Amino acid sequence: MNKKFFGIIATLFFSATMVACSDSDDSNPFDQQKKGDFNPSEVIITKSSDNRTIVESWKNIRRNYDNKVTSYEYNFELNGDITQFENRSCTMDYFTDHNGNEQIRSKYSVEYAKSDKGITEKYTESIQENVTIDPKGYISRIETTIDHYANNSSEPVTTTSERVFTYSGDLCTGSTYRDEEYQISYKYNWSGYQLRNITVLKENKKDGSIEYNTYDYTFDNKRIYPYSGTSLMPFVQSGLPQIYASMGYLGKCTPYELIEEVQGGYTKFGNMTSNNIKVHNLYNLEGDPSVRFTYSALSNIYNNYSITFNK
């Protein structure tokens, strides 16, 4: 064990910036989140390994008087043995339909480019999401229309998709994404208030290939994120639409601090199956709610890995 590892573990248990919840199994950890709001205007994820650097961010996050996100910019940039970037500008409108049900309409403008071994792919897209909200205030369905313009084409290829969500009480337990080419099944496995495991099964309808990914999480049972407002966990855990989930539209989010993540899985094509590289991350959350919070990670894959929430 190295000193950095011991430093992370020590900070997890002794940092004074977070509050501890009761040892009682009957306590509700959400009762500890009434000390004020922390609503970041940007979220930045940085990962670097020996041959790649990845920066993913949600910036210029703007909210209305109800504290709902109305617009933001999403950016993804990868540099190293391959180069890739994606930029999205998003606006979100909230309205009530003729039946009195809340709805969300999100619109995105997308620019994308990727260069790998001398081959370059570029496209732009115009995307609209129509989001259906159930009577409890949670998303039941996202219907998406994409106008795809490849290599500066003036004529788009239009495709549609949908993603439906299931719940048990206030907890999201699964979702299924479908388009012309893929079906992706997400399962969210809870233990009490903790989302302990996520599985993602991606099935290619055209060639029959399968990708299966697992994400196992461990939380500190005595340490919770104390501030109401935007939830941080959807930006740390995989498999959830981050902006929607952070506003509570996908049910309650785990309030406990994440301390460990293990990723695994496999890819299957025909009779060939290959195991994914195992990823093991140890997390530490620290910060000042008047400025920022940061999840830093000690990883077996990345030399540096951090998720920063700036107010």
Side-chain angles (χ1 to χ4, degrees):
M1 295 285 184
N2 60 35
K3 293 181 179 179
K4 185 176 181 182
F5 176 85
F6 281 117
I8 287 179
I9 296 300
T11 304
L12 284 170
F13 287 99
F14 299 111
S15 171
T17 60
M18 299 292 109
V19 300
C21 66
S22 169
D23 290 337
S24 171
D25 292 336
D26 296 328
S27 63
N28 185 340
F30 297 104
D31 291 340
Q32 303 292 328
Q33 294 184 289
K34 304 299 182 183
K35 297 183 179 298
D37 293 329
F38 179 76
N39 299 301
S41 62
E42 66 177 13
V43 180
I44 302 173
I45 302 175
T46 302
K47 306 176 184 179
S48 64
S49 61
D50 291 340
N51 58 352
R52 292 184 181 182
T53 298
I54 298 172
V55 179
E56 184 178 15
S57 64
W58 294 258
K59 294 184 176 181
N60 297 319
I61 301 173
R62 302 183 185 279
R63 297 175 174 82
N64 62 16
Y65 58 89
D66 287 328
N67 209 27
K68 297 176 180 177
V69 174
T70 57
S71 65
Y72 65 92
E73 298 171 8
Y74 170 84
N75 299 279
F76 177 93
E77 186 171 352
L78 185 158
N79 290 294
D81 54 342
I82 65 175
T83 59
Q84 177 182 337
F85 81 83
E86 178 181 339
N87 298 325
R88 294 187 175 216
S89 296
C90 177
T91 59
M92 303 172 66
D93 296 314
Y94 303 83
F95 62 97
T96 302
D97 67 13
H98 62 282
N99 291 317
N101 299 316
E102 183 182 1
Q103 306 283 312
I104 305 174
R105 182 187 299 114
S106 300
K107 296 182 179 180
Y108 308 83
S109 296
V110 181
E111 294 181 79
Y112 175 92
K114 180 179 179 180
S115 180
D116 183 12
K117 299 177 181 178
I119 300 175
T120 300
E121 176 189 7
K122 292 183 179 181
Y123 63 76
T124 60
E125 290 179 335
S126 295
I127 302 174
Q128 179 168 307
E129 291 180 341
N130 295 319
V131 182
T132 301
I133 310 297
D134 70 16
K136 294 189 69 174
Y138 301 145
I139 292 176
S140 60
R141 183 183 305 271
I142 300 175
E143 297 175 295
T144 305
T145 300
I146 301 175
D147 290 329
H148 180 91
Y149 299 84
N151 296 318
N152 298 317
S153 172
S154 60
E155 294 295 327
V157 174
T158 301
T159 59
T160 62
S161 67
E162 71 168 5
R163 186 169 177 179
V164 296
F165 297 82
T166 58
Y167 298 86
S168 176
D170 293 320
L171 305 179
C172 186
T173 57
S175 66
T176 302
Y177 169 92
R178 297 183 182 90
D179 63 20
E180 295 177 357
E181 187 173 354
Y182 294 101
Q183 176 170 303
I184 308 175
S185 301
Y186 302 82
K187 291 184 178 180
Y188 313 110
N189 301 305
W190 293 80
S191 176
Y193 297 103
Q194 300 178 10
L195 179 52
R196 299 293 301 273
N197 172 267
I198 297 173
T199 62
V200 184
L201 176 64
K202 183 177 182 180
E203 302 172 89
N204 189 312
K205 301 175 185 177
K206 293 185 177 180
D207 64 16
S209 62
I210 292 175
E211 296 178 31
Y212 183 71
N213 293 286
T214 61
Y215 305 85
D216 296 306
Y217 300 103
T218 302
F219 299 87
D220 188 329
N221 293 324
K222 295 182 180 294
R223 295 167 55 79
I224 68 169
Y225 169 68
Y227 290 90
S228 59
T230 301
S231 176
L232 307 187
M233 286 310 302
F235 296 95
V236 186
Q237 292 180 305
S238 299
L240 292 168
Q242 294 94 340
I243 292 293
Y244 295 135
S246 70
M247 290 188 290
Y249 278 110
L250 292 175
K252 290 187 178 296
C253 296
T254 301
Y256 293 98
E257 289 185 32
L258 180 67
I259 58 175
E260 185 176 20
E261 174 188 28
V262 178
Q263 300 178 20
Y266 61 84
T267 301
K268 183 177 182 180
F269 185 80
N271 295 323
M272 300 293 293
T273 300
S274 59
N275 292 325
N276 297 345
I277 296 174
K278 189 174 183 179
V279 179
H280 189 187
N281 299 320
L282 295 173
Y283 290 95
N284 173 48
L285 177 65
E286 58 185 356
D288 179 349
S290 66
V291 183
R292 69 176 58 87
F293 280 104
T294 298
Y295 263 110
S296 57
L298 179 63
S299 175
N300 69 319
I301 297 295
Y302 303 107
N303 300 327
N304 295 287
Y305 181 11
S306 64
I307 306 171
T308 301
F309 305 83
N310 291 315
K311 193 164 184 179

